[in-house]
Amino acid sequence: MPEGDSIRRAATRLHAVLAGRELTRSDLRVPRFATADLTGRVTLDVTPRGKHLLARFEGGLTLHSHLRMDGAWRVFAAGEKWRGGPEYEIRAVLGTADHTAVGYRLPVLELIRTAEEDRAVGHLGPDILGPDWDPGRAAANLLAAPERPLGEALLDQRNLAGIGNIYKAELCFLAQVTPWTPVGALPEENLPRLASAAHRLLAANCGNGPGHRRNTTGIHRPGQELFVYGRSHRPCLRCGTPVREAPQDDRPTYWCPRCQTGPTP
């Protein structure tokens, strides 16, 4: 499931093979931009912004993509067989003399002016892994709606950018409150700590390669990498109580009924 750390790893891979190189192939397979041709342009950089990817090209153009649940960018050496899904799922192809980047199942793909990137990502709060990261501002954003459940507030990218459903569950566990706890019920000094914990967790998972299993516990044994996410009916790693699951905003949500206090469905 792509979250801020996954997107940063994807941006790093794309930047390594595209930045500073001229495109020898360009194919955007979405109706609106099917006739756009980036061939001959040099890629300036590939930058993550929360869960968004921004590939910038000379001439003031940016290719904006968002992976959501199923999207993926794959990188292949020249002549290597593409693997990532059937041909009809390909939405973008960017090739250089040495590598080809292929975007599969991209639900958001648009070519915009670099000067107008704010139209695509200007609504986002501080990026947990970006140069604009500010835990105090993120905490203030969360507290702006004190009645809102913490789990929903953490997923709102306008508050802080980069958290998905996995980190939502794990952060609520670390804060020892259920995801349905109103933000305003937390001691105010705990919110900057929670924001800083989000930064630590995502940053710790950024430096791993493909196939990496996200880890928030520090335990490197199969099935014990996460405190509560995906552990429904299995023992809590801290107290042994079976982890519970219920939907929140149509997403599966996990919590330990002993380690976490607060309202539940």
Side-chain angles (χ1 to χ4, degrees), residues 193-240:
R193 295 174 189 167
L194 185 63
S196 295
H199 173 75
R200 287 196 305 274
L201 290 182
L202 269 71
N205 282 282
C206 274
N208 302 286
H212 159 71
R213 293 182 65 85
R214 189 176 282 115
N215 190 301
T216 62
T217 66
I219 303 172
H220 298 281
R221 290 196 292 270
Q224 297 187 14
E225 298 93 343
L226 302 173
F227 284 111
V228 290
Y229 184 86
R231 293 183 58 82
S232 181
H233 306 301
R234 297 169 63 190
C236 170
L237 296 180
R238 181 173 289 169
C239 74

Side-chain angles (χ1 to χ4, degrees), residues 19-170:
R21 295 169 175 84
E22 180 180 312
L23 293 180
T24 58
R25 180 175 182 179
S26 164
D27 187 2
L28 305 183
R29 301 182 184 180
V30 293
R32 184 180 173 190
F33 302 105
T35 60
D37 187 5
L38 298 170
T39 303
R41 295 178 187 263
V42 172
T43 304
L44 302 179
D45 63 80
V46 181
T47 298
R49 183 75 173 86
K51 298 182 184 182
H52 301 250
L53 279 167
L54 302 170
R56 302 182 178 112
F57 307 97
E58 64 178 0
L61 291 177
T62 294
L63 187 64
H64 166 231
S65 60
H66 194 297
L67 307 186
R68 290 189 181 161
M69 291 292 290
D70 301 317
W73 279 98
R74 309 285 187 190
V75 174
F76 305 98
E80 184 181 0
K81 183 179 179 180
W82 298 354
R83 304 173 307 280
E87 179 84 9
Y88 68 81
E89 292 185 344
I90 295 174
R91 297 293 177 266
V93 180
L94 301 174
T96 70
D98 301 313
H99 293 89
T100 304
V102 184
Y104 289 89
R105 301 172 298 279
L106 301 176
V108 176
L109 186 72
E110 60 175 346
L111 191 63
I112 59 178
R113 293 287 177 187
T114 302
E116 299 175 356
E117 284 180 0
D118 271 0
R119 181 171 62 81
V121 296
H123 65 287
L124 298 175
D127 186 340
I128 294 174
L129 296 173
D132 67 327
W133 174 240
D134 181 345
R137 181 179 158 213
N141 290 347
L142 291 169
L143 195 56
E147 74 289 347
R148 194 174 190 186
L150 178 61
E152 292 181 12
L154 287 172
L155 286 180
D156 190 335
Q157 303 300 296
R158 296 170 296 181
N159 290 331
L160 64 172
I163 291 178
N165 208 36
I166 295 176
Y167 283 116
K168 176 197 83 170
E170 298 296 285

